[in-house]
Amino acid sequence: MSEPVKLSVIYYSATGTNAEIASLLAKEAEAAGAEVRVRRVAELAPDAAIDSNPAWRANVDATKDIPVATPDDVVWADAVIFGSPTRYGNVASQLKQFLDTLGPQWQQGLLADKVYSGFVSTSTRHGGQESTLLALYNTVHHFGGILVSPGYTDPVKFVDGNPYGTSHVAGQGDLPVDDDTRAAAGVQAKRVVRIAAQLLAGKPAS
C-alpha cells in the first residue's frame, strides 16, 4: 500500500477565523486519507496590541496548545496549505516572517516539488482576498513548488467565486465561518490531497 500524503496546514490567525478554516481543511484532508499537521505561526504583536481586542486575546488563549510552525513542518510535508488574513491586500507579517525563515531549506532544495495552496480571510467583501493569495503564491514559485489552487473544478466554487483558494469574509464583528466557506475548504483540501497523491505515485522508490 502507498503511504498517505503528508499535509501541513500552516496559518496565522488573529481573532480565530483562520484557525477555524485551518481546522476545517485538516479534517477534510484527514477524511481524504492524509496525515495532517496543523501549525500556527508565532505571534509577533505585543501583548498591549493583543489585549486591546478581546477577540484577539481570546484566540491567542484558545490556540496556545497548537504547536508553533517550524521549518521541519514544511520539509516533512508532501503538501502545504498556508493561511493568512489579508493586511492591505498582502500576507500578514506573522506568516511572512515564517516564510522568510525558510531560506536555508530553500537553498538546499528541500521546499521544491511539493504541492502548495492557500486560504485567506478579510474584514470586507473582496478586501484583498485575491491579491493576498497571489502574493503568497509568489513565494511558492520561488520554492519551485507545485501550485494547486481549487480553480472552478466543482460547482461550489461558482458559489464562493474564488478560484485562487478558500476565502472568507469575517466582517468587523468576526462573522462565523459559513457553509459556503466550509464547502470551499472541502473542495480545496480534497484536491490538494488528490494531486499530491498522484505526484507521490509517480515518484521512483528511494
Side-chain angles (χ1 to χ4, degrees):
M1 293 179 63
S2 59
E3 294 184 0
V5 169
K6 293 179 289 188
L7 170 68
S8 284
V9 181
I10 299 174
Y11 73 93
Y12 173 68
S13 183
T15 56
T17 298
N18 277 14
E20 184 174 352
I21 297 172
S23 178
L24 288 170
L25 288 161
K27 289 176 182 176
E28 292 285 355
E30 287 174 342
E35 179 183 353
V36 182
R37 292 182 182 180
V38 178
R39 300 289 188 264
R40 60 183 175 88
V41 298
E43 179 60 79
L44 304 178
D47 282 338
I50 296 170
D51 290 336
S52 70
N53 183 335
W56 196 350
R57 170 52 66 190
N59 178 61
V60 168
D61 292 342
T63 60
K64 65 179 184 296
D65 292 332
I66 295 176
V68 173
T70 69
D72 177 67
D73 294 313
V74 182
V75 173
W76 167 85
D78 303 307
V80 182
I81 304 177
F82 290 116
S84 174
T86 191
R87 294 292 184 263
Y88 306 112
N90 213 322
V91 177
S93 60
Q94 288 86 345
L95 180 62
K96 185 61 167 62
Q97 192 271 346
F98 173 75
L99 295 172
D100 288 348
T101 67
L102 299 176
Q105 291 74 28
W106 166 71
Q107 288 178 327
Q108 296 174 65
L110 298 176
L111 309 181
D113 302 331
K114 300 175 183 290
V115 165
Y116 293 91
S117 199
F119 64 98
V120 67
S121 62
T122 56
S123 294
T124 58
R125 186 168 299 280
H126 305 300
Q129 291 182 349
E130 293 180 1
S131 63
T132 298
L133 288 169
L134 291 172
L136 171 65
Y137 294 159
N138 286 335
T139 299
V140 173
H141 296 312
H142 280 257
F143 287 171
I146 300 164
L147 180 60
V148 176
S149 59
Y152 291 111
T153 58
D154 187 281
V156 304
K157 292 304 296 177
F158 290 90
V159 176
D160 89 316
N162 189 343
Y164 302 96
T166 297
S167 57
H168 178 69
V169 180
Q172 297 298 326
D174 295 311
L175 298 174
V177 175
D178 57 19
D179 289 342
D180 291 345
T181 303
R182 292 175 180 275
V187 169
Q188 183 173 17
K190 291 170 186 173
R191 181 170 167 79
V192 165
V193 172
R194 178 170 58 82
I195 299 300
Q198 291 173 349
L199 290 169
L200 283 173
K203 280 188 176 180
S206 56

